[in-house]
Every structure is written in C-alpha cells, then in structure tokens.
Amino acid sequence: MFFPRKMAPALLSFCQWHCRHRRHLGAVSKLSVREALASVEGSPNSIKLQGWVRSVRSQKDILFLHVNDGSSLESLQVVAEPNLKTSALTFGSSVEVIGKLVKSLHKKQNVELNASDIKVIGGCDSYDFPFKLKERHPPEYVRQYPHLRCRTNTFSSLLRVRSKATAAIQDFFQSNGYIHIHTPIITSNDCEGAGELFQVQATNWDHGQSDKSGFFNVPAYLTVSGQLHLEVMSGGFTRVYSFGPTFRAENSQSRRHLAEFYMVEAEISFTDSLDDIMQVIENLFKSTTTALLSQCPEEINFFSKYVSVGQKDRLEQFLKKKFVTMTYTEAIEVLKDAREIFHYKPEWGCDLQTEHERYLVKHCGNVPLFVINYPYDLKPFYARDNEDGPQHTAAAVDLLVPGIGELFGGSLREERFDVLLSRLERLGLTDTYQCFQ
C-alpha cells in the first residue's frame, strides 16, 4: 500500500500508540506447567495454560484445580471462582485456563494460577476412566492402557528422564568430536553372528516366483547392530557413533531381553588399548548421570522414593568413585571362592549369568565394575585375539552396574586380516561376510 509522504508521521504515531496500547492491555502468553512453576513472584500479565486435570475440589466460595501438561512431575494449582465450574470439568478432562500467576500461600509451590476463564477442551467420564484419583496403580495394570499410561506419574517421569538421557548422550558425543552416523535399519548382515534376526519381506512380493531372494535380491533383516557400518565409516572418521533402534529375536520373555530397543554404539580409530575404550565408557556414564541428576531432580527423587529406593544416593556414589577393573579369569576365581550357591556353576569358559554379575559388583563394593579379557570363544569374530595362553582370551570388556548387570560392552577390533579371515573360515562365515583374499 502507498501512503503520501506527509501521511507517514501520522501513520507512525498511530502504530506507536497501537503497540503501546497492546502492551498496556497485556498480551496472553502461553506457558507450560514447568515454566509457570519456575516463576517466583508471578506475573502481572495473563497467561494461557493447557493440560489435563489431575484433581478438582469445589468449595462454596472457591474452586481448586490441579493441572498437568506432562512438562513437569508437579502440577500447577489453579484457583477460580466457583461459577467457572461446569459438569464437564472432571478428573482427566483436558482444559485451557487463562489467568494470572500470583504468589501462592501453599508452602510446596511458589505460584498458583488465578483463573479468569476455564474452557474444557475434551471431557472425561471419571467413572469409566481407568486411573483413579489418589490411587497408585501397579505397572501391570497401567500397561493394559498404553494410550493413557503417559498420564501417570511413573511413566511420564520415565519418559522425561529418557528424553533428557537421550539429549545428554548426544551432547557427550557431539562435544567430544564424534560424527553421528545413521546406520541402516534394514540390512543383509548378522553383525553378532548369533542368528537372532527378524527377517524382512515385502507383503506384495510374489513368493511363488522363481527368485526366492525377495524384494532386495538378497535376504534382508532388521538390524541387530550398526557396528559393521560404523567400522566402514571409521576408515574416514576417527570418531563415529550411532544411536538408533535395534532388534533381537531372542526367544526370551525376560525384561533383560527385548525384541526392540535403542542402542548407542561408537567406534574409535587408531587405538590399541582397552583402557581407551573403558575411559570413554566411564566418561559417558558419568556425564549422562550428572546431567540427569541436574536436569531431572524431581523425577530422580520420585523414583528413589517409590520405584527403586535409595537409587539417587547410589548414583551420586557412582560419580564419586573410580570404577573397578578385574579380568574375567579373576572374576571366575572370585565366584568359585564365594560362599553363595549359584544356580549356574561358575566355570572358566562359561558366560557370566545375571546372578554372577550381581555378586561381582557386590563383592567390589557396589560400584560399577569392568570385566576384561573374556574367553576368545565367547566373543564375536571381530574381537581382537590376545594370543595368550594357556587360557585363550579376547580383548573385550563389559561394564557391570549394581542393580542392572551388564550395561556396556565393547572390544578392540581384530585388524590383522589373516587372523580375521582364519576365524571367519573356522566359523563358516566367509560367505556371509563376503570375504575375499
């Protein structure tokens, strides 16, 4: 639009007045519950809050709500005139509240929202709603309602912690010069060589045709690891990592054997020492734990009180102490000398079971424990041969953590082609990995 030159000052004055007038009226800004709770003295301007009602308490002269939007374990108290209460305003309903933050008389929070308007976005029949106010439902019950479990304190806290942990892990690798590689989810190789694979087939593929190899012309599987792809990339980058979904077709229903999970993997070039790998593992563990204790104090306290009693104190102790290291051979001797009776008898050459791992970390003072130099035949073909004897071992390491067991695993890679080829031939894997001399 064109304005004559003489009209420009008048137009500018009008715009300035309009902007000042809007500031005077106070624009309604949208805040999350976490942002609102972080306010110390409140705000003279109106805010908009959207979330789900955790509790409703109506009295003769006042209406109290607690609203949560998933951004915080703690809910924000809303205070309103009783005439804003409607039949649709119930426990579980979704609402939009407009009002002003004021200093709260409640000792447990700094501010509360003095509502001028409450709008019910989505109603909820509190009788049919599976979660009841002031009831602590066990995980087995909550899992029956996967679409609603994020409304519970336990699962919402877990997801917030997981979100922060993911960011902390990414931050650790990025700040230490690692390149993030997105490895394929569909692959033709079995990285672990254990055969625990989910095969991928196209639903529209004609299985009656002569070509039996499928959509990709070769058998295809969901990845069990991005490691082999990372090793290729480590030929051009000295530090690489991946963080993505992994799939294992292990025939087990235990909580330690998931069909799908996210796994962090890293490769470091130009290293010939397990100490280098162990230092990265310890630094990653402590960096991530420090970030969670700092950024998720409410959630950590909640879990430490109701889910895993004393977990916060244990985590803080992990940060103060240097991790312990022992060889696999030493670990077997400790287990053999133990007075405890194990379901699986500890013998050199056998894999460590959960009961063995828990005893070992307890024996070492309940601090994270590195177990190194495992029997050669227990580890995958790519683990470097220590060429020792009489007990033949590989340069591999696992980190055992109190209350969990194995959390990290790694090894030096076998870089000697003749040794690698010899082992692949012995295991019958040369065709699988297309090895050529």
Side-chain angles (χ1 to χ4, degrees), residues 225-410:
S225 169
Q227 177 193 313
L228 296 183
H229 296 280
L230 285 181
E231 288 186 5
V232 171
M233 293 298 144
S234 65
F237 301 101
T238 57
R239 296 181 178 186
V240 293
Y241 77 101
S242 67
F243 193 175
T246 306
F247 307 87
R248 301 284 173 89
E250 296 184 67
N251 188 21
S252 173
Q253 300 300 316
S254 76
R255 60 188 296 179
R256 291 171 56 85
H257 296 86
L258 301 178
E260 177 183 354
F261 57 96
Y262 269 65
M263 185 160 65
V264 181
E265 300 178 274
E267 294 290 331
I268 309 169
S269 303
F270 304 107
T271 182
D272 56 5
S273 170
L274 273 180
D275 291 337
D276 294 340
I277 298 174
M278 290 157 61
Q279 191 61 60
V280 172
I281 292 174
E282 184 169 347
N283 291 345
L284 173 59
F285 180 96
K286 290 185 174 181
S287 173
T288 304
T289 302
T290 300
L292 294 181
L293 288 171
S294 171
Q295 299 173 23
C296 305
E298 293 179 343
E299 289 79 6
I300 297 297
N301 287 332
F302 172 81
F303 284 120
S304 190
K305 183 177 181 180
Y306 296 109
V307 181
S308 181
V309 178
Q311 184 63 28
K312 180 182 178 182
D313 293 336
R314 288 191 289 271
L315 291 174
E316 290 173 342
Q317 289 300 313
F318 293 165
L319 297 178
K320 295 176 183 177
K321 297 181 179 180
K322 180 69 177 176
F323 293 0
V324 179
T325 303
M326 70 166 55
T327 66
Y328 169 89
T329 302
E330 292 170 339
I332 293 296
E333 292 303 317
V334 168
L335 294 170
K336 286 183 175 180
D337 293 340
R339 295 181 179 181
E340 189 167 327
I341 299 176
F342 299 107
H343 181 74
Y344 296 95
K345 185 179 180 181
E347 295 287 352
W348 202 98
C350 296
D351 211 349
L352 296 179
Q353 302 297 320
T354 302
E355 58 180 347
H356 301 150
E357 296 171 346
R358 289 177 177 172
Y359 180 85
L360 289 170
V361 293
K362 183 179 179 181
H363 173 81
C364 294
N366 282 316
V367 296
L369 166 68
F370 285 114
V371 178
I372 64 173
N373 297 334
Y374 278 79
Y376 188 64
D377 291 335
L378 282 183
K379 291 302 176 181
F381 67 90
Y382 48 75
R384 196 177 198 279
D385 188 348
N386 280 331
E387 296 183 311
D388 52 358
Q391 295 170 319
H392 193 185
T393 66
V397 57
D398 286 340
L399 178 65
L400 311 183
V401 176
I404 298 175
E406 181 189 345
L407 184 63
F408 291 82

Side-chain angles (χ1 to χ4, degrees), residues 20-32:
R20 284 199 301 269
H21 184 61
R22 287 191 62 185
R23 287 199 297 269
H24 176 71
L25 291 176
V28 177
S29 58
K30 182 178 176 181
L31 292 184
S32 68

Side-chain angles (χ1 to χ4, degrees), residues 199 201 205-215 217-219:
Q199 188 162 2
Q201 293 181 333
W205 190 258
D206 183 3
H207 299 285
Q209 61 185 0
S210 57
D211 183 7
K212 301 293 184 180
S213 57
F215 182 86
N217 295 324
V218 293

Side-chain angles (χ1 to χ4, degrees), residues 92-112:
S93 60
S94 57
V95 296
E96 179 179 280
V97 183
I98 294 177
K100 293 185 178 181
L101 286 175
V102 297
K103 191 170 180 60
S104 177
L105 299 177
H106 199 282
K107 294 181 179 179
K108 292 187 177 181
Q109 59 185 23
N110 295 322
V111 295
E112 60 190 20

Side-chain angles (χ1 to χ4, degrees), residues 125 127-132 135 137-152 155-156 159:
D125 188 333
Y127 291 100
D128 293 335
F129 195 62
F131 305 140
K132 305 305 178 184
E135 285 190 25
H137 303 286
E140 294 76 18
Y141 175 81
V142 175
R143 289 192 184 101
Q144 298 178 61
Y145 307 95
H147 61 301
L148 294 173
R149 62 183 179 179
C150 59
R151 300 268 196 101
T152 66
F155 278 90
S156 64
L159 292 171

